């Protein structure tokens, strides 16, 4: 069964149609990349999938692990195994990263019918997972993303993904604002989480990230539609030629 | 001497009566419900329960000290605790603003209160937990507390007010605190009066050179309530920390009036106040900082943040800086807002449902005030009460 099945998806933001008929299927174990210029609808796609209420699905169907996402609120999608790594992770003063993570991990476990982790089991899990993105201990004690650098925030996103062990990881422009070293650490973290039963949707403007997270499929998103799909070589093609030909064709 | 003071106060109270909303300091808080009510002097032992926070508790039931319920017999040398009716200090009544109707009525009619003295050089680590129980419907309780911390001394005082649910009564407290040079008073107030009661407190602190007065006032209860908190910085390098949190729902009305008087140079005063308001509750915050001409190198910071959980809730926040010195660092700020929807969405994408997410964000907002709490038992206790309050509101 497909992990994610998007059929003729249309979506609007503030009554403005952004997505105009997206079709995409991700099977377990696959990494799909969506590339596109600014304003093509990349972030709208990730927000519609994750359940942001500001983004309204107007037509089509999205099945996640066989379930229609219309039946699931944002937190239920997360509990069912969908994870969105934010382009701009949110700062939350007054809640420590550890407290936040424990609440999240146990919320997901509860939904999935698993036992709650006690403090000791939780710490063991943190010790285990923090190696994946080399996150510093002091960042774990600090308030969620408060005063974190851009790179630290993105690492924290991948760390959260490692802790929540989703079925599908959606990375929304995770490479934006990262220098090459930070990019490598984040990409290594994602690669460490690749497995035969987990899929990824990597959304990016630039080909650079795909040098490190090598996709199985690449899709080009322009004006809210997928205009071309191919293998990883499509990303290199785009790097050479840019998006200009598609954007012009559409008469933008 | 005390009798003379009380007679004078009664005369003043009878002549002036209660303030009205025409007076600037009472513009947003209408006390006519208190002014027009008839209160009795009925008394009984209290059936209310309380949780002792440490070894020392001083319990007042319906306005009178209960030796039976209290526990303060085993005190080290240099620490004196008792009833204000039994112990004498010439400074009683000299600090609290005699012009205020609540102070004058208190001075005239107080039935009891705590007297706490730590002598020069005495550092007393055990927090002194004052418990005020109220469960006589229709009664007025006038309570008078006196705290004296000697030179280079240290004392922690937690005032807790607990009321019988559904009872209507009036608690009127005056607490005077004298902190001598290099002294440290760590003071907490936890107000858990009944939701149908009236609660007023005037807290006045007098700070000597290099002394610290720290106050955390947390309010959950009373239909109509007000804290008047006044600090007088009279010696250089004194520090006043006055933080507070008010958690209001239904039609509760709670007012905080702060007055920091910087009379001398090089003093600090820091105030962080936060409020969470649900339903049709209303809060007033007025923070006045006076920096007198001589008070150079004053460092005064004040902020008041409010979170409105409902469209019917309302806040009036009025920071007032009055500065007559030229070399000072003074800032103030006030915010009124709703929960951050982006933060809520972020929590949701991590599996946390909106109800729990709202509770987490709301607690986080309040937690900033509790961060500064030094006394661990007070911190844990207050945090528990905040969680309890939030759980009720979420329901």
């Amino acid at each position: 069964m497909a992990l994610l099945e998007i059929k003729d998806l249309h979506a609007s933001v503030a009554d403005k149609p952004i997505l105009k008929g997206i079709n995409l299927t991700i099977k377990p174990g696959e990494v799909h990349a969506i590339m596109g210029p600014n304003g093509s609808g990349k972030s709208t796609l990730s927000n519609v999938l994750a359940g942001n209420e500001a983004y309204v699905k107007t037509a089509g169907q999205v099945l996640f692990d066989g379930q229609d996402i219309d039946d699931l609120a944002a937190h239920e999608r997360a509990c069912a195994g969908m994870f969105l790594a934010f382009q701009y992770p949110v700062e939350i003063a007054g809640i420590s990263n550890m407290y936040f993570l424990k609440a999240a991990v146990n919320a997901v476990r509860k939904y999935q019918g698993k036992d709650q982790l006690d403090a000791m089991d939780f710490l063991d899990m943190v010790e285990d997972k923090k190696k994946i993105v080399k996150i510093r201990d002091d960042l774990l004690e600090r308030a969620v993303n408060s005063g974190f650098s851009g790179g630290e925030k993105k690492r924290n996103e991948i760390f959260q993904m490692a802790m929540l062990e989703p079925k599908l990881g959606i990375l929304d422009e995770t490479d934006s604002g990262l220098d090459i070293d930070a990019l490598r650490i984040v990409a290594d973290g994602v690669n460490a989480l690749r497995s035969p039963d987990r899929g990824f949707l990597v959304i990016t403007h630039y080909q650079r990230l795909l040098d490190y997270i090598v996709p199985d499929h690449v899709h080009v998103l322009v004006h809210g539609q997928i205009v071309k799909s191919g293998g990883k070589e499509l990303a290199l093609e785009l790097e050479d030629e840019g998006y200009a030909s598609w954007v012009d064709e559409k008469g933008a | 001497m005390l009798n003379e003071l009380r007679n004078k106060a009664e005369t003043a109270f009878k002549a002036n009566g209660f303030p009205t909303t025409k007076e600037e300091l009472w513009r947003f808080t209408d006390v006519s419900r208190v002014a027009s009510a008839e209160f009795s002097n009925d008394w009984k032992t209290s059936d209310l329960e309380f949780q002792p926070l440490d070894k020392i508790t001083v319990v007042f039931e319906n306005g009178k000290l209960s030796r039976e319920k209290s526990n303060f017999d085993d005190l080290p040398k240099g620490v004196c605790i008792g009833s204000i009716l039994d112990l004498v200090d010439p400074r009683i009544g000299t600090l609290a603003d005699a012009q205020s109707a609540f102070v004058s009525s208190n001075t005239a009619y107080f039935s009891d209160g705590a007297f706490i003295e730590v002598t020069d050089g005495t550092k007393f680590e055990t927090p002194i937990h004052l418990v005020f129980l109220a469960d006589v419907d229709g009664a007025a309780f006038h309570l008078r507390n006196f705290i004296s911390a000697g030179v280079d001394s240290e004392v922690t005082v937690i005032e807790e007010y607990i009321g019988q649910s559904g009872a209507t009564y009036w608690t009127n407290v005056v607490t005077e605190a004298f902190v001598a040079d290099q002294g440290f008073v760590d003071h907490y107030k936890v107000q858990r009066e009944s939701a149908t009661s009236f609660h007023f407190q005037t807290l006045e602190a007098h700070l000597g050179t290099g002394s610290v007065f720290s106050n955390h006032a947390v309010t959950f209860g009373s239909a109509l309530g007000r804290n008047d908190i006044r600090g007088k910085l009279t010696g250089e390098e004194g520090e006043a920390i006055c933080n507070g949190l008010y958690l209001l729902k239904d039609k509760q009305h709670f007012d905080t009036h702060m007055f920091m008087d910087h009379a001398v140079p090089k003093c600090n005063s820091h105030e962080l106040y936060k409020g969470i308001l649900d339903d049709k509750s209303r809060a007033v915050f007025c923070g006045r900082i006076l920096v007198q001409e001589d008070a150079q190198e004053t460092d005064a910071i004040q902020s008041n943040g409010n979170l409105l959980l409902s469209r019917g809730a309302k806040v009036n926040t009025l920071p007032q800086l009055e500065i007559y010195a030229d070399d000072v660092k003074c800032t103030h700020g006030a915010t009124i807002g709703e929960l951050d929807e982006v933060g809520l969405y972020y929590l949701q994408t991590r599996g946390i449902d909106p109800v729990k997410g709202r509770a987490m964000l709301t607690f986080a907002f309040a937690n900033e005030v509790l961060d500064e709490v030094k006394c661990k038992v007070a911190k844990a206790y207050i945090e528990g009460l905040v969680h309890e309050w939030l759980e009720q509101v979420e329901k």
Side-chain angles (χ1 to χ4, degrees):
Chain A
M1 185 176 62
L3 194 54
L4 184 73
E5 219 177 330
I6 304 175
K7 296 181 216 165
D8 192 32
L9 174 65
H10 288 68
S12 300
V13 181
D15 292 330
K16 190 182 172 211
I18 305 288
L19 299 183
K20 299 160 187 167
I22 304 262
N23 290 287
L24 177 69
T25 300
I26 299 178
K27 295 196 185 93
E30 290 180 348
V31 175
H32 288 244
I34 290 206
M35 300 183 68
N38 289 333
S40 58
K42 299 193 298 292
S43 280
T44 300
L45 178 61
S46 63
N47 275 296
V48 168
L49 293 177
N52 188 335
E53 286 173 3
Y55 297 76
V56 182
K57 177 169 156 287
T58 50
Q61 191 183 34
V62 179
L63 297 176
F64 173 60
D65 211 19
Q67 241 186 316
D68 193 324
I69 62 166
D70 284 351
D71 300 335
L72 301 171
H75 66 280
E76 291 168 325
R77 296 178 198 186
C79 288
M82 189 191 288
F83 183 92
L84 170 63
F86 279 51
Q87 182 178 4
Y88 304 108
V90 180
E91 295 190 12
I92 303 176
I95 301 180
S96 84
N97 225 349
M98 288 289 267
Y99 177 76
F100 160 66
L101 267 172
K102 195 174 173 202
V105 167
N106 277 333
V108 170
R109 291 180 70 92
K110 189 177 173 189
Y111 185 91
Q112 296 176 352
K114 295 178 188 164
D115 288 341
Q116 299 287 285
L117 291 185
D118 64 22
M120 193 59 88
D121 293 339
F122 177 73
L123 283 179
D124 286 346
M125 190 178 183
V126 168
E127 283 304 309
D128 187 36
K129 303 288 187 184
K130 76 183 189 191
K131 292 173 205 145
I132 291 171
V133 279
K134 304 182 185 77
I135 197 156
R136 292 200 321 269
D137 283 340
D138 63 307
L139 295 184
L140 297 176
E141 295 303 332
R142 287 232 299 268
V144 181
N145 293 325
S146 288
F148 286 30
S149 71
E152 286 166 344
K153 283 181 183 169
K154 296 296 172 74
R155 263 197 250 184
N156 199 25
E157 294 291 287
I158 305 305
F159 176 61
Q160 290 172 30
M161 181 159 72
M163 290 292 292
L164 294 175
E165 301 177 328
K167 290 178 186 147
L168 175 69
I170 303 168
L171 309 182
D172 187 3
E173 307 216 23
T174 293
D175 50 335
S176 68
L178 292 188
D179 62 29
I180 197 72
D181 293 328
L183 181 72
R184 201 171 279 158
I185 291 169
V186 165
D188 286 349
V190 173
N191 287 328
L193 295 173
R194 287 179 76 159
S195 81
D197 48 13
R198 182 174 289 147
F200 285 93
L201 182 59
V202 181
I203 294 169
T204 181
H205 186 110
Y206 301 103
Q207 182 268 339
R208 190 178 67 156
L209 177 66
L210 305 180
D211 286 342
Y212 298 96
I213 304 172
V214 180
D216 302 303
H217 303 274
V218 174
H219 312 276
V220 182
L221 183 68
V222 177
H223 296 310
Q225 288 180 319
I226 290 175
V227 293
K228 188 169 185 181
S229 295
K232 63 185 176 206
E233 65 287 344
L234 180 57
L236 293 168
E237 216 176 281
L238 277 171
E239 180 74 357
D240 292 338
E241 296 165 17
Y243 298 106
S245 58
W246 283 294
V247 174
D248 291 346
E249 250 168 60
K250 283 274 176 184
Chain B
M1 202 181 111
L2 194 57
N3 276 339
E4 195 187 316
L5 192 71
R6 296 180 80 138
N7 290 338
K8 248 171 87 179
E10 187 173 19
T11 310
F13 174 61
K14 284 186 171 160
N16 302 330
F18 285 95
T20 67
T21 50
K22 287 187 183 126
E23 289 173 44
E24 184 57 30
L25 287 173
W26 295 88
R27 193 148 61 104
F28 297 107
T29 297
D30 179 358
V31 299
S32 57
R33 275 192 286 169
V34 181
S36 63
E38 296 265 340
F39 295 100
S40 73
N41 292 316
D42 293 351
W43 189 85
K44 68 173 190 76
T45 57
S46 174
D47 302 320
L48 293 169
E49 302 204 340
F50 63 94
Q51 181 191 325
L53 297 180
D54 210 311
K55 288 182 284 252
I56 297 190
T57 44
V58 188
V59 181
F60 294 84
E61 48 185 355
N62 295 315
K64 284 192 166 51
L65 176 65
S66 164
R67 301 243 169 217
E68 220 170 278
K69 289 181 179 170
S70 300
N71 187 2
F72 58 92
D73 295 330
D74 198 13
L75 296 174
K77 205 172 169 300
V79 180
C80 170
I81 299 174
S83 161
I84 197 159
L85 301 176
D86 302 335
L87 297 157
V88 180
D89 190 295
R91 292 171 298 174
I92 292 174
T94 58
L95 191 55
D97 172 21
Q99 300 302 311
S100 148
F102 290 90
V103 173
S104 61
S105 58
N106 179 282
T107 304
Y109 307 123
F110 70 79
S111 57
D112 212 335
F115 182 104
I116 296 168
E117 184 184 15
V118 286
T119 56
D120 293 354
T122 302
K123 300 200 168 166
F124 189 48
E125 284 181 5
T126 313
I128 300 167
H129 185 193
L130 309 180
V131 182
F132 301 90
L133 306 172
D135 57 350
V136 176
D137 197 39
F141 308 113
H142 296 277
L143 292 148
R144 186 66 166 239
N145 302 314
F146 176 81
I147 301 167
S148 168
V151 174
D152 196 28
S153 69
E154 228 177 276
V155 66
T156 301
V157 178
I158 303 165
E159 291 183 28
E160 182 178 17
Y161 296 84
I162 303 172
Q164 171 70 51
S165 168
T168 300
Y169 55 86
W170 172 30
T171 301
N172 183 28
V173 194
V174 174
T175 298
E176 289 174 298
F178 289 85
V179 196
D181 299 350
Q182 277 77 48
F184 174 39
V185 171
D186 196 11
H187 182 271
Y188 301 88
K189 176 187 177 182
V190 182
Q191 201 259 66
R192 302 170 57 211
E193 300 277 23
S194 92
T196 43
S197 69
F198 309 116
H199 177 102
F200 292 77
Q201 180 177 37
T202 299
L203 170 66
E204 298 244 8
H206 184 276
L207 287 89
T209 302
S211 71
V212 179
F213 179 76
S214 169
N215 169 246
H216 284 81
V218 187
T219 299
F220 300 93
S222 71
L224 173 63
R226 168 148 156 162
N227 284 346
D228 274 280
I229 298 168
R230 302 160 66 94
K232 276 197 175 72
L233 292 144
T234 68
E236 290 190 12
E237 291 177 356
E239 186 179 3
I241 301 159
C242 290
N243 295 341
L245 179 63
Y246 40 88
L247 305 174
L248 309 176
K249 58 186 178 183
D250 302 322
K251 285 183 163 183
Q252 283 182 290
H253 176 114
F254 183 72
D255 179 343
T256 301
H257 261 67
M258 180 89 63
F259 177 46
M260 280 297 149
D261 184 356
H262 286 260
V264 294
K266 296 183 185 166
C267 288
N268 298 339
S269 68
H270 292 177
E271 290 123 42
L272 173 63
Y273 260 77
K274 291 222 175 173
I276 302 176
L277 290 90
D278 200 8
D279 304 321
K280 291 188 168 176
S281 61
R282 177 146 182 213
V284 179
F285 179 85
C286 176
R288 179 170 165 228
I289 301 171
L290 170 65
V291 182
Q292 298 191 29
E293 214 176 324
D294 291 338
Q296 300 296 352
E297 295 178 60
T298 288
D299 182 344
I301 303 172
Q302 180 183 88
S303 83
N304 173 229
N306 294 281
L307 184 60
L308 305 186
L309 301 181
S310 134
R311 299 227 172 261
K314 192 174 167 187
V315 178
N316 293 99
T317 177
L318 314 143
Q320 298 178 330
L321 290 178
E322 222 175 296
I323 304 172
Y324 299 101
D326 47 27
D327 178 19
V328 299
K329 206 169 86 189
C330 294
T331 60
H332 66 78
T335 60
I336 300 171
E338 294 172 17
L339 268 187
D340 177 17
E341 291 297 322
V342 177
L344 197 60
Y345 171 56
Y346 189 67
L347 293 181
Q348 266 192 284
T349 63
R350 300 309 182 244
I352 296 165
D353 68 67
V355 172
K356 167 104 177 149
R358 274 179 200 282
M360 280 174 75
L361 290 177
T362 312
F363 182 78
F365 175 83
N367 201 31
E368 204 190 336
V369 171
L370 304 177
D371 270 352
E372 301 285 315
V373 170
K374 283 187 199 77
C375 172
K376 281 188 184 147
V377 292
K379 185 181 166 80
Y381 184 59
I382 295 168
E383 276 183 356
L385 293 174
V386 172
H387 273 301
E388 221 172 84
W389 187 88
L390 289 174
E391 275 165 26
Q392 279 177 3
V393 167
E394 294 298 336
K395 274 177 198 162

